[in-house]
Amino acid sequence: MRFSYGVRVADTQAAEGGRPATTRSRSTGTRAPAGRRPARKTEPWKPVLGRIPILDLSPQQPDDLWPAKAFAGEVVPFSATVFKEGHDVIDAAVVLTAPSGRVLRRPMVQVNPGLGRWTASVQVDETGAWTWRVDAWLDDWGTWLHDAGIKIPAGIDVELMFEEGARLLERAAEEEGRGDDAPALLRDSAAALRDVGTDPGTRWSVVTQGRVADALAAAPISSLLTAGPSRTLRVERLRAGSGSWYEFFPRSEGAVRHEDGSWTSGTFRSAALRLPAIAEMGFDVVYIPPVNPIGRTNRKGPNNTLTAGPNDPGSPYGIGSEDGGHDAIHPDLGTEEDFLAFVEAAKRLKLEIALDIALQASPDHPWVVSHPEFFTTLADGSIAYAENPPKKYQDIYPLNFDNDPEGSYAEMRRIFQVWIDRGVRIFRIDNPHTKPLGFWERLIHDVNAAHPDVIFLAEAFTRPPMMRGLAKVGFQQSYTYYTWRNTKEELTEYLVELSQETADYMRPNFFVNTHDILTPYLQFGGTAAYKIRAAIAATSVPTWGVYSGYELVENVARPGSEENIDNEKYEYRPRDWARAAMLGTTLAPYIARLNGIRRHHPALGQLRNIHFHWTESDQVIAYSKHLDAEFTGTGSADTIIVVANLDPNGARETVVHLDPTAFGRLPDDVFTVRDLVSGAVWQWGADDYVRLDPFGEPVHILTVEDDPDQ
């Protein structure tokens, strides 16, 4: 049976019914007998793949809608699946073009021959948009060496194989760029291969040893060069991916309570006096909550009560009063000049100020009158306040970005520019998951187009798709679930996810606590819990942070909640730092030690290099972070091994089974490790006994002192 493709069933049925069915040619409008429909002209298919397939490129975002991310100094693994039909030998390289136009070419190695996976690590050192691709080619010389190495010793096609090799050498002699001596060397070698008067073993050694072998190893004979698709990698400044953060409330520093119960607020000037101590602890970023005027309508009182007294300052997240809105400064904190002086004081100490921006408004915000379209109006005519059932925030009106998308966007963009003009280059965004992703995509890209050094941190404790979505559309950093990942299994699984699955676009910031979060682990674990959580946060990811009071082990929670009692969000909370230091009850020296370790060990400044090792106790976690000498900037490799007792209430002992190959050593090597906290020195190998007491030092932070390439 023969089918006539392109004929409609209806046309055929009409013809069978005795009436001539016709079709109309789209090109001429003339009719043609049924069954002879003019063929449609189509363009020939153009293959997407090159001669050698190059697929599954990394780094790239899963949807490839936005560029993958990196930060200056990050060691980025570039990888692709590269393969070819048959059994020929192939090779590959990654080719990068830096924003300056500089081109880097790095050879790739095949890490999984069965899956054709190739990779190369490159340390990106310029900010801006990098482009990269993978080149692949047929290694003709490698293919010949492989085949000849099997056939010639077996006496199969010996002269034929030597002739094939000789022709390859002659071809290479004609290629440009091989040096002045190469043509003669290669032609002489071709003649030697054809010399039937010499035994095969001697002829074989001519091209597998000495100058010829070295020349062809450096510049192989190749063909079928294939360039893979181009991808973009956005490289941002160091602080976008690595740093230590400290949060505090400026209004509490220098605040004074009077006998009548009234308060004099701390100011930017008094808060600046706290900055040297923060710098001494080794922090890079000082994060402060909103500094705007605070509304009085429905102002919250101490411990989130619904009734505020006359001396209660209110939550800084209830933004807006008769003194102004998001572009204004709370008069109790000082003037714009005082804020600029605060930013400058931080800069002199090599600290950056990160400002909290909360896109919401108190009922007293000027927007309520000037821009009622920014809010949601309920059926009874009232404006909807914020809620996260069962939580209610009666002092806050959330914004509605759908009523007037362009108007609200223009105002928000203006607000950010006001603070950028005041010297702020890092923004911690409160609850970004309650705003449209498209809004953030547009705003972050607009801001970064004008100010590439601006960094956005997403404070979003919500569902994974939204957290990942915020990172994908542009947020440089993300709060994480770290505060609730406490067991060995939870930590291992989560850190593998962050360092591998989402590392191309999501940069974690491991805050150990916040003004909103005091987990049961910290509430009931005492000082040991505070040391354990800080040590893991500071050594497992490049960016971590603490909220003021952590160093004082403030672990009393408001009953029934996971936040501190007498929460600083609703009242002044001055602290006696000097007394704690005098009594030796502060963890400030321990935190300073952690940050000092981070600064002196570049392996801890990377996200993707964490490797977990097996321990025989479910309460002891072990991991290493390693950086090869070519990436450290010191000429020496850097290896850190962390072993932590996760039980803050009891000593644990176990055997740690290390995989030394994870940090560039042989499986049975013995090496010297030094504890960077206690100073103790041991000889370690693949199997090591440890005992960690939470009432002493619950965490080993070890440096491998005799790295093989030091």
Side-chain angles (χ1 to χ4, degrees), residues 209-283:
Q209 300 174 18
R211 293 174 60 200
V212 176
D214 293 342
L216 295 180
I221 305 170
S222 61
S223 61
L224 304 184
L225 177 63
T226 304
S230 179
R231 292 289 184 268
T232 301
L233 178 71
R234 184 184 181 195
V235 178
E236 296 167 301
R237 64 187 180 101
L238 173 65
R239 204 57 67 220
S242 181
S244 302
W245 289 50
Y246 186 92
E247 176 194 359
F248 82 109
F249 282 59
R251 73 184 185 186
S252 289
E253 289 299 324
V256 177
R257 186 173 186 177
H258 305 290
E259 291 184 0
D260 62 358
S262 63
W263 285 85
T264 296
S265 172
T267 66
F268 290 125
R269 299 285 181 177
S270 62
L273 301 177
R274 176 66 179 153
L275 295 177
I278 297 172
E280 286 179 11
M281 284 188 284
F283 288 100

Side-chain angles (χ1 to χ4, degrees), residues 408-478:
S408 58
Y409 176 81
E411 176 65 357
M412 301 310 126
R413 178 65 182 88
R414 183 189 71 82
I415 293 300
F416 279 95
Q417 191 61 50
V418 166
W419 292 103
I420 291 171
D421 292 342
R422 289 171 176 165
V424 177
R425 287 299 184 273
I426 304 178
F427 295 100
R428 182 266 200 189
I429 305 300
D430 188 70
N431 287 334
H433 55 288
T434 61
K435 287 80 180 174
L437 275 183
F439 165 79
W440 290 121
E441 178 187 3
R442 180 181 178 185
L443 182 114
I444 293 172
H445 283 78
D446 279 358
V447 169
N448 284 153
H451 308 281
D453 58 336
V454 171
I455 295 167
F456 292 83
L457 166 63
E459 186 259 357
F461 301 106
T462 184
R463 298 183 303 276
M466 177 58 81
M467 287 182 67
R468 294 185 180 193
L470 290 164
K472 288 178 180 180
V473 302
F475 274 91
Q476 283 83 4
Q477 291 185 19
S478 305

Side-chain angles (χ1 to χ4, degrees), residues 376-385:
T376 298
T377 302
L378 299 176
D380 62 359
S382 64
I383 295 177
Y385 58 74

